[in-house]
Amino acid sequence: MPELLDLYGATSKVVRAATDLALGRHGLHVGQDHLLAQLWRQDGRTPGEIATAVGVSTPAVTNTATVLAKAGFLVRRPDEQDNRRVRLWLTEAGRALRPAVERERQTLEDALVERLTDAERRNLVSGLTKINRAATELSAKKPQRQDATQQSSRQHPSGRR
């Protein structure tokens, strides 16, 4: 197995667990903070707008919004110009979460990189940005799959079947 993929997978898993623990102190789970952050930047956005900004599907945002609405952090209201669309609005409780959540995220990030030099931090951000871009491009490609019968009917490179 490729070393980078193994290390990334293991790191992603433990960072996600640490993030979930930090956010859990405020009644949140990983991902919910991203939706809230979009509303902290611009309240009243549609699920589709948030999905595009965060890079997830609209149904994922809709499901997360349902959980956050049940917790009292946001409300859904019809769009004033188009009643077919819904907009998400923060409640007072949702707005009040911002300082604590941002502090938790900053504290976690600081703890994760405290053993790195400034140059290593810059290189890490630069490298991860490039990897993210490459992975985004790769994930946008449609897979070209062959079914098992096509694969077994292919000739061996030596010409034998």
Coordinates of all heavy atoms in Angstrom, one line a residue, residues 10 45 55 70 77 103 115 139:
A10 N -4.6 7.3 8.3 CA -4.5 7.2 9.8 C -4.6 8.6 10.4 O -5.2 8.8 11.4 CB -3.1 6.6 10.1
R45 N -28.3 31.7 3.9 CA -27.9 31.0 2.7 C -28.8 29.8 2.4 O -29.4 29.2 3.4 CB -26.4 30.6 2.8 CG -25.5 31.8 2.9 CD -24.1 31.4 3.0 NE -23.6 31.2 1.7 CZ -22.3 30.9 1.4 NH1 -21.5 30.7 2.4 NH2 -21.9 30.7 0.2
G55 N -18.2 22.0 -0.5 CA -17.8 20.9 -1.3 C -18.4 19.6 -0.9 O -17.8 18.5 -1.0
K70 N -33.0 20.9 14.9 CA -33.6 20.2 16.1 C -32.8 20.6 17.4 O -33.4 20.6 18.5 CB -33.5 18.7 15.9 CG -34.5 18.1 15.0 CD -34.4 16.6 14.8 CE -35.4 16.1 13.7 NZ -35.2 14.7 13.5
R77 N -36.4 28.9 6.7 CA -37.5 29.8 6.3 C -37.6 29.9 4.8 O -36.5 29.8 4.1 CB -37.3 31.3 6.8 CG -37.3 31.4 8.3 CD -37.3 32.9 8.7 NE -37.0 33.0 10.1 CZ -36.0 33.7 10.6 NH1 -35.2 34.4 9.8 NH2 -35.8 33.8 11.9
R103 N -12.6 29.1 18.9 CA -11.6 28.9 19.9 C -11.1 27.4 19.9 O -9.9 27.1 19.9 CB -12.0 29.4 21.2 CG -10.9 29.5 22.3 CD -11.4 30.2 23.5 NE -12.7 29.9 24.0 CZ -13.8 30.8 23.9 NH1 -13.6 31.9 23.3 NH2 -15.0 30.4 24.3
R115 N 4.7 21.1 17.2 CA 6.1 20.5 17.0 C 6.7 20.9 15.7 O 7.8 20.5 15.4 CB 6.0 19.0 17.2 CG 5.6 18.6 18.6 CD 5.6 17.1 18.8 NE 5.1 16.8 20.1 CZ 4.2 15.8 20.4 NH1 3.8 15.0 19.4 NH2 3.8 15.6 21.6
S139 N -11.3 13.0 -8.2 CA -12.6 12.6 -7.8 C -13.7 13.1 -8.8 O -14.8 12.5 -8.8 CB -12.9 13.0 -6.4 OG -13.0 14.4 -6.3

